[in-house]
Amino acid sequence: LILLDSLLQENQKMKVALLLIGTLCLLAGTIEGFTKPPRPDGKPPRPSDGKPTRPSDDTHPRPSDDTHPRPSDGNPPRPSDGKPTRPSGGKPPRPVSECAPSPEMKTVVKLLEQLVDKVKELEGKLDVLLLSDTSLRLDHTWQNLTTGTYAFLEEPCTWFEARDKCKAIGGYLVEINSLAEMNLILKTSNALGWKELKLAFWLGLNDIQKEGSWVWEHSQRRNNDGFRYWKPRPDNDETRPDNEDCALAKGTSYGWHQSPCDTKKKLGSDWTPATVCKKDG
């Protein structure tokens, strides 16, 4: 799940970057489209209709009939179609549509292509994970026992992380209602090697809201009204500095112990908190 989440986040970041660079490309292309290169002869660029500009002090208007030659000003006469001839000392400006992209634009395009390839690669990895990695299909870890349906998740986590994991797969942090259910859970976890691995597991039991009032997170039932497996009993001392507000089953007998809810590292005797989830139906 952590790997899948990180890939999804990276893929989203790549798509945002792709969108930003694509926008920059469009903006740069628009600016380039409205920019004309200077004329080779150093004169201002021609208007968009291609006709030469006429100086304001031009006292020699062009005759309406092309049969009359222009006054001798040192320039060759115009052709009969009225278009100016190519200057002898230079080349005409290239049309804007044929202008070669700038080095900056080439860099942007190359980066854009690399981002596209990266997004495709990440999407391919996500497809492989979602379609072939059964370890991510957490529903496959559910086990139907006579007392309910359970999932045993070995990854170390805090009580809050364990609660959220169970919710994410459609269940809740385990609530144990009888000694028979407790024994069946222990039998299953032992078969998975949890005792050898020294894996403890969180219960959906806590007194976060009120010290000494232990309540099941999902059903909101008070533990005083049902099955209890405390070893030893919680001391419910409000002066304790470590705020042991969550219940953890640990030790060789998996007795219930009060523990800090943010415990994630190995506990005393090298026990590490894992997760048992439960769902109805």
Side-chain angles (χ1 to χ4, degrees), residues 3-280:
L3 175 60
L4 177 60
D5 183 62
S6 64
L7 285 174
L8 287 172
Q9 292 181 7
E10 187 176 357
N11 189 33
Q12 186 65 27
K13 291 178 182 178
M14 287 296 177
K15 288 185 177 179
V16 171
L18 190 62
L19 179 61
L20 289 175
I21 293 183
T23 303
L24 289 175
C25 283
L26 291 176
L27 181 60
T30 302
I31 294 174
E32 186 177 358
F34 282 102
T35 304
K36 284 189 175 184
R39 293 179 57 184
D41 55 6
K43 295 181 179 180
R46 298 181 184 275
S48 58
D49 59 1
K51 295 181 180 180
T53 55
R54 186 182 302 277
S56 57
D57 60 347
D58 187 4
T59 56
H60 302 283
R62 182 181 173 185
S64 58
D65 188 354
D66 288 338
T67 58
H68 299 282
R70 294 180 60 188
S72 176
D73 54 3
N75 293 328
R78 298 180 181 274
S80 59
D81 56 2
K83 295 183 179 179
T85 58
R86 176 184 297 184
S88 58
K91 296 181 180 179
R94 297 171 61 188
V96 173
S97 60
E98 297 179 4
C99 290
S102 64
E104 292 79 7
M105 280 298 299
K106 290 182 179 179
T107 302
V108 170
V109 171
K110 184 176 180 180
L111 181 58
L112 188 61
E113 291 174 348
Q114 292 175 351
L115 280 173
V116 170
D117 293 339
K118 184 66 175 177
V119 169
K120 290 180 179 179
E121 179 185 350
L122 287 173
E123 289 178 344
K125 289 182 179 179
L126 289 174
D127 290 341
V128 170
L129 286 171
L130 292 173
L131 295 176
S132 64
D133 191 344
T134 57
S135 66
L136 292 177
R137 302 183 210 166
L138 294 181
D139 194 55
H140 287 217
T141 66
W142 289 107
Q143 299 191 36
N144 294 316
L145 307 179
T146 57
T147 54
T149 304
Y150 306 87
F152 296 80
L153 311 177
E154 295 185 0
E155 183 180 5
C157 58
T158 67
W159 184 89
F160 300 102
E161 291 170 341
R163 177 197 61 186
D164 294 342
K165 283 182 181 181
C166 292
K167 287 183 178 180
I169 62 176
Y172 52 89
L173 206 49
V174 66
E175 295 186 4
I176 301 176
N177 301 310
S178 66
L179 180 59
E181 183 176 15
M182 182 70 188
N183 288 336
L184 191 55
I185 290 174
L186 294 183
K187 181 180 178 180
T188 306
S189 64
N190 289 340
L192 295 171
W194 280 28
K195 182 176 287 188
E196 289 76 10
L197 295 171
K198 290 191 175 182
L199 289 177
F201 61 87
W202 291 110
L203 305 169
L205 190 60
N206 67 84
D207 68 344
I208 296 174
Q209 296 298 325
K210 182 180 179 182
E211 183 66 29
S213 178
W214 290 87
V215 177
W216 292 107
E217 173 77 12
H218 177 68
S219 65
Q220 290 297 302
R221 290 184 298 105
R222 296 182 64 231
N223 181 237
N224 293 338
D225 301 333
F227 173 70
R228 288 167 289 177
Y229 201 66
W230 292 104
K231 293 185 180 181
R233 292 181 60 83
D235 55 24
N236 302 323
D237 184 359
E238 295 184 2
T239 64
R240 293 177 67 91
D242 47 7
N243 297 321
E244 295 178 334
D245 294 331
C246 294
L248 183 73
K250 69 172 184 174
T252 55
S253 64
Y254 280 90
W256 299 356
H257 294 73
Q258 61 186 107
S259 176
C261 300
D262 59 355
T263 297
K264 189 172 184 177
K265 61 181 182 300
K266 294 193 176 208
L267 309 171
S269 303
D270 295 330
W271 287 84
T272 303
T275 305
V276 176
C277 303
K278 184 177 180 180
K279 71 176 180 179
D280 301 324

